[in-house]
Every structure is written in structure tokens, then in C-alpha cells.
Amino acid sequence: MDLKRKPKVVSLFSGAGGLDLGFKQAGFRTVYASDVWQLACDTLKENDMADEIYCGDVRSIDFFELKEKYGEIDCLIGGPPCPPYSQTRHYLIGKANGFDDERAGFAVPEYFRALKELKPKVFLFENVDGFTFKTHQEEFDFLKDKARELGYKITYKVVNCANYGVPQTRKRFFCIGYLEELPEFVFPEETHVDPSKNTDKLPWVTCGDVISEFDNITEEEKNQRPGQKDFDLLTQIPPGDNYLYFTEKRGYPEPKFKWKSRYWTFLLKLAPDRPSWTIQASFSTNQGPFHWRNRFLRIEELKRLQTFPDEYVLLGEMKDKWRQVGNAVPVKMANILASKIMEVYFNGTR
């Protein structure tokens, strides 16, 4: 496709570029991407993800100026930082959530400022499924009301990415908005399903399907102890289980933990015959998922579970890379939605 004819995208809160890469694969051209984290911006540059990459606060972006520079923008994409809407936020005493969060509460309103000033044909908004919970009714209503006020109809869905062939049971909220005069957006039909359900769909893609070639332990990894002081317990937990294995409710003869006394991810292990659970953005010594061989996951494995190409470059130290890939939208999920947007609104070309 001629570069000049590709639908033009502005990407906000771009991170390592999961959304951007999915859109690029579908035939879009990201003319402008931005993030506040320098390492993420460097990763975007390293992988040639946008014509222009801005590293800085979204509140300082003049979107009118952007439109003047690049002409009509076809699509706005982005996932505002999710901690204000995360389920774990409810466990943090004294931490405000939603719009009151002091670090990122401004991000959702800024996304809609961009929508107002750019006025693209279509937008994609992504966040954690907690965004739709009753505790965030104000923010969810803001999204719906603001979209309508700006002349957009919306279609939204909480997606389990495993149901679209991603090897991860990662639930995320996606909202697709389109100008009122444009055709309705309908989410692509789910293609995969939990294999225990008797349907004609494909079974979930499993961890074993995508990372089995890494099923070994290096000399360096032999000296590491996931779970720290509970490493010996980790080795006893069956693949696909967590600390609850050692509770009275589960029938363990000498219980070591009380039921639901820890985060669910505590000592959580992958199973090769099912998808991964959600990859977290922060590396942890005792919060999983861990490999079924009782070791930390490798960045190469995280990329596979998040459907990044092996050759995609992540810059920084190990924990920096982990944060980048853990925060990303799975590339395959982004590509499925981008391809549908391309089909419905751009007929494969601009």
C-alpha cells in the first residue's frame, strides 16, 4: 500500500507499541505517537513505529497544531494508564482512584481532549476491565457522554484475549467510536474457546504452544529463587495452581496459608496446557505467573505470550523490558481490531 494512502493514526500513551504494531500490521500509518517514559519512546523509535515520537506529558500536546501539520487524522488510539481503574487499587489504603488519582487521573479527559481537537473518523480506547465496574461509574459515564457530545457512536466490550487466539486469559475493555454518519462497528466474532466447552471454535492457544521451546533452566536460573523464602513451596505446587494449593479448603493436610489471604497471583504457576494468566507490568519475586519449571519467565517468553514478534526490540534493563511488555496490548488483539476497523471504515485503503 502506498504510504501516502494509508489511514493516519495518532497514538497516545503508546508504551512499547502493542497497539501501534497491530495497527501497522493492518495497514495503518502512525504519524504521531507519544508516551511520558523515555525508554518506551526509545523502544518506539528503535522499531520505527511512528513518523514522529513525542516523549512528554500529554497535557502539553497541541492537537490542533498536529492536525495542521499532518492533515486530517483518520484514527485516534490509546490506552490511558490503567492503575486508577485496576482491581488492586481497592486494596491500597489512602490511594485515590479514577479521576482523583494524582498521577494519572487526568489521562482519560486528555484522551477526549485529543478526540475533540483531532476529530478523527474512528477512535479506539483501551483499559482494564475494571473501568466498567460500578466503582468507576463516573469515568465510564464520562466516556459515553463525551463521545456522544463530540458526535460519535460507540461500541464496547470486555474482551478475554484468549478467545481471539492470544495465549493469555487477559481481560481488557475496548471501546470503538465512530462518527455518527458512519456504519456501526461490530466486534469480530471470537475464534477460540476454553477447550472444556463443546463448540466448533478452535481451542485456546496454550503456553506450551508458544513457549515450549524455552522449556529448560539455565545455570544462572538455577541460582535464582522465585518466591524467595517460599521457593520450596513453589516447587511443590502443580502447574496451573497457586498458594491456595496449601490451604485447608483445598484439603492440604497441614495448611500453610489461609483461604484468600494473599493476592491470587502469589506463587502462581503457568500450565503448559492452558493460556497464561494476565502478565503483570511489574516484575515480582513472589507474584506470578512463574514458569512450570519453577523459574522466572524470560523476556522472550513474555513477548510470545503478548504476541510480539521475536525480532521486536525492547530497550532497557530486564525490569524495564518487563514493564514495557506487561503494559502493552497484545499485538494480535490489536491487529484483529485494527483489521476490522480498516475493513469497515477504510475499505482496505484510505
Side-chain angles (χ1 to χ4, degrees), residues 105-299:
F106 62 85
V108 172
E110 281 298 300
Y111 181 96
F112 281 90
R113 178 176 71 87
L115 187 67
K116 179 180 180 180
E117 296 178 8
L118 292 173
K119 199 67 174 179
K121 292 180 182 177
V122 187
F123 71 84
L124 181 151
F125 176 100
E126 179 269 346
N127 218 281
V128 291
D129 60 335
F131 190 85
T132 64
F133 292 178
K134 287 183 179 180
T135 47
H136 298 301
Q137 192 68 49
E138 177 190 357
E139 292 81 8
F140 195 18
D141 286 345
F142 174 88
L143 178 150
K144 291 181 282 189
D145 293 343
K146 207 68 180 173
R148 183 171 56 250
E149 176 188 314
L150 295 175
Y152 292 88
K153 293 181 179 179
I154 61 173
T155 303
Y156 54 84
K157 180 179 181 180
V158 172
V159 165
N160 181 349
C161 295
N163 293 340
Y164 287 94
V166 175
Q168 189 181 166
T169 51
R170 187 183 187 97
K171 290 185 178 180
R172 285 298 183 269
F173 168 72
F174 288 98
C175 177
I176 311 299
Y178 44 94
L179 290 172
E180 290 176 345
E181 64 270 20
L182 296 177
E184 179 185 5
F185 182 87
V186 178
F187 275 84
E189 184 179 351
E190 294 178 351
T191 52
H192 293 67
V193 71
D194 182 338
S196 66
K197 297 179 180 178
N198 187 20
T199 75
D200 57 358
K201 293 179 180 177
L202 296 169
W204 279 343
V205 179
T206 69
C207 294
D209 291 333
V210 297
I211 65 172
S212 58
E213 69 186 83
F214 301 108
D215 194 8
N216 68 318
I217 300 177
T218 65
E219 287 300 316
E220 181 182 358
E221 287 167 337
K222 288 179 182 178
N223 299 319
Q224 297 173 350
R225 293 177 64 85
Q228 294 180 306
K229 63 183 179 61
D230 296 308
F231 174 72
D232 291 337
L233 295 181
L234 179 68
T235 64
Q236 299 173 51
I237 294 175
D241 217 330
N242 64 358
Y243 81 98
L244 295 175
Y245 175 76
F246 293 110
T247 60
E248 181 181 8
K249 189 171 182 177
R250 292 283 294 277
Y252 197 77
E254 296 180 10
K256 301 185 182 300
F257 302 102
K258 291 183 179 180
W259 186 256
K260 293 188 176 179
S261 60
R262 304 289 185 95
Y263 283 125
W264 188 80
T265 51
F266 181 60
L267 302 182
L268 177 66
K269 285 167 69 169
L270 296 181
D273 59 353
R274 63 149 286 149
S276 169
W277 287 275
T278 299
I279 299 300
Q280 306 296 322
S282 299
F283 171 80
S284 172
T285 55
N286 55 24
Q287 304 292 323
F290 301 105
H291 194 278
W292 54 84
R293 294 290 300 274
N294 306 308
R295 61 168 174 78
F296 294 113
L297 290 171
R298 302 167 189 165
I299 297 301

Side-chain angles (χ1 to χ4, degrees), residues 27-89:
F28 288 84
R29 170 192 171 200
T30 298
V31 295
Y32 186 90
S34 75
D35 200 271
V36 73
W37 189 21
Q38 186 63 55
L39 259 177
C41 294
D42 292 343
T43 289
L44 292 171
K45 292 175 184 175
E46 183 71 20
N47 293 281
D48 192 25
M49 291 311 302
D51 295 0
E52 180 180 354
I53 296 166
Y54 168 71
C55 191
D57 194 318
V58 65
R59 290 171 288 189
S60 66
I61 300 173
D62 185 332
F63 295 105
F64 288 121
E65 187 178 280
L66 266 188
K67 193 170 182 178
E68 188 175 322
K69 181 176 182 179
Y70 291 107
E72 290 298 317
I73 299 300
D74 297 293
C75 194
L76 173 68
I77 65 174
C82 64
Y85 313 102
S86 171
Q87 294 182 51
T88 58
R89 179 56 63 96

